[in-house]
Amino acid sequence: MTNIRESAETGIMSQEELFSRVNALKKEMNALILAHYYTLPEIQQVADIVGDSLALARAAEKNSADVIVFAGVYFMAETAKILNPSKLVLMPDEYAGCPLADSCPTDDFSAFKERYPGAVVITYINSTAEIKALSDITCTSSNAEHIIRQIPENRQIIFGPDRNLGGYLARKTGRDLILWQGYCYVHDAFSEQALLKACGEHPGAELIAHPECREEVLRHAAFIGSTQMLLNHTVSSHSESFIVATEPGIIYEMQKRSPHKTFIPAPKDPDNPRSVCKQMKQNTLEKLHQCMVNRKPEIVIEEQLRLAALHSITTMLEMTPG
Ligand code: 13P
Ligand code: SF4
């Protein structure tokens, strides 16, 4: 342990060396590394489990590790800690927040909720613990439709914080959702005009899109789904090429699963081919290694808030098959 720590503090290490040290630390600490599909390829390579928000929440719920290292954004690591109060939950970069989650301040959301007494509050997992504590059910883009369909028709539903996902779910389920007006800057940035141009340049390529994209983009998509659903679709589809309207980090796994297929990141605007989540990319291999060596930054959450937020997460897991 001491050697690893000393060496980490004194020199720049090669990627291979970092991989081998992270793997050694994993064993030594009985640590589980969870990484979202939007992180850098080298983070996905060293992780024990790579997944979308739902898969990672499930992995955080059921594991025998002593330490969880979460390479994602803050709300993901916070969810892991809410589910595992006795475990050490580490993050490579504690400043890797999610601007979508941050677009929903607690006091404003609380006042919004008060305007609709009796409404069921369903919030996307991309939200703070305080917002989860104000919610009845948490959801992800993989299970949101399934959860909404379980709410009796006579109940109003507040959905937040993503207005694009909420709008998509309202159209899909026919429910009149009361929407918080937040959005993900990555998915909201895809341009319809640039996309249509890309479709013209790649005839035969199938346009697939995440429901966090705007309606004007979704309406052109041949397939819409969460990150995991998009990945599964690229494997099962007969198409040989895809224009991918979601964070391009997922292309690493898509290409791995279908090496012979072509994946084109959807354009953000005519001059900018990619819309990238800067916060996900803050998880570098160096920071991942350092957080394991130093056993920090550690996620800490006050117990009363944890318990209040836990209810909406466990309700989601109970309402989700598999
Ligand atoms: P999923 O992982 O549920 O597809 O969500 C995408 C996302 O933006 C995560 O922050
Ligand atoms: Fe948040 Fe969007 Fe980044 Fe996901 S991709 S972490 S929703 S900013």
Side-chain angles (χ1 to χ4, degrees):
M1 182 76 170
T2 317
N3 286 344
I4 293 171
R5 187 170 284 143
E6 278 172 4
S7 176
E9 283 168 2
T10 50
I12 297 165
M13 283 180 266
S14 68
Q15 194 171 89
E16 287 318 308
E17 179 147 23
L18 283 166
F19 279 146
S20 109
R21 283 169 186 266
V22 166
N23 283 326
L25 281 163
K26 259 201 275 193
K27 285 203 189 98
E28 193 179 305
M29 298 165 79
N30 186 25
L32 178 75
I33 302 182
L34 303 179
H36 193 274
Y37 285 128
Y38 298 168
T39 55
L40 296 163
E42 56 271 28
I43 296 291
Q44 298 189 41
Q45 263 170 271
V46 83
D48 297 293
I49 298 173
V50 185
D52 72 348
S53 306
L54 179 60
L56 295 176
R58 279 209 176 106
E61 187 202 18
K62 290 194 174 75
N63 67 80
S64 56
D66 295 318
V67 178
I68 296 176
V69 183
F70 214 122
V73 287
Y74 194 86
F75 76 82
M76 296 180 174
E78 188 176 59
T79 303
K81 183 67 183 180
I82 291 168
L83 289 163
N84 295 283
S86 62
K87 290 186 184 177
L88 176 67
V89 179
L90 302 171
M91 253 193 106
D93 185 333
E94 65 191 313
Y95 299 108
C98 167
L100 168 60
D102 297 340
S103 75
C104 193
T106 315
D107 290 348
D108 295 352
F109 190 74
S110 180
F112 181 66
K113 184 181 155 178
E114 275 172 28
R115 283 165 45 199
Y116 306 97
V120 179
V121 182
I122 304 181
T123 49
Y124 200 23
I125 197 164
N126 298 41
S127 56
T128 61
E130 286 80 1
I131 295 296
K132 290 184 176 81
L134 288 171
S135 307
D136 297 302
I137 315 166
T138 296
C139 71
T140 77
S141 51
S142 281
N143 60 13
E145 182 184 340
H146 183 76
I147 286 174
I148 288 171
R149 290 194 190 279
Q150 292 176 67
I151 308 300
E153 290 286 340
N154 62 351
R155 298 289 304 275
Q156 279 192 305
I157 301 173
I158 292 177
F159 186 89
D162 192 292
R163 65 178 181 207
N164 292 337
L165 175 63
Y168 166 75
L169 292 165
R171 292 190 296 279
K172 198 85 206 283
T173 60
R175 298 295 293 259
D176 189 15
L177 305 181
I178 302 159
L179 301 182
W180 181 263
Q181 293 297 318
Y183 62 90
C184 158
Y185 76 95
V186 179
H187 291 87
D188 195 69
F190 295 119
S191 131
E192 180 186 26
Q193 191 203 357
L195 248 162
L196 291 177
K197 188 165 169 276
C199 290
E201 286 164 1
H202 302 280
E206 198 183 334
L207 173 60
I208 58 172
H210 194 284
E212 286 176 23
C213 297
R214 275 180 276 148
E215 206 266 316
E216 71 213 45
V217 165
L218 295 180
R219 87 166 80 103
H220 300 289
F223 183 84
I224 300 169
S226 67
T227 312
Q228 186 66 53
M229 288 153 86
L230 295 177
L231 173 64
N232 296 349
H233 179 75
T234 59
V235 174
S236 62
S237 165
H238 293 302
S239 298
E240 288 296 309
S241 60
F242 300 86
I243 298 175
V244 183
T246 190
E247 213 285 340
I250 183 61
I251 293 179
Y252 172 73
E253 186 65 25
M254 287 177 172
Q255 197 72 76
K256 211 164 103 185
R257 303 249 187 123
S258 305
H260 59 287
K261 296 189 179 181
T262 305
F263 299 96
I264 303 144
K268 177 176 166 179
D269 57 55
D271 305 320
N272 193 339
R274 278 159 197 259
S275 188
V276 173
C277 181
K278 293 196 267 308
Q279 289 73 19
M280 286 281 185
K281 311 306 183 212
Q282 280 173 230
N283 294 283
T284 62
L285 196 52
E286 289 78 6
K287 286 188 213 166
L288 175 74
H289 174 241
Q290 276 302 306
C291 88
M292 294 177 84
V293 170
N294 299 327
R295 298 175 76 86
K296 63 179 190 198
E298 177 190 357
I299 306 296
V300 179
I301 179 162
E302 193 259 317
E303 185 61 6
Q304 210 180 331
L305 173 61
R306 185 188 77 79
L307 290 173
L310 179 64
H311 176 72
S312 69
I313 302 170
T314 49
T315 305
M316 165 184 84
L317 294 170
E318 282 160 17
M319 290 175 82
T320 308

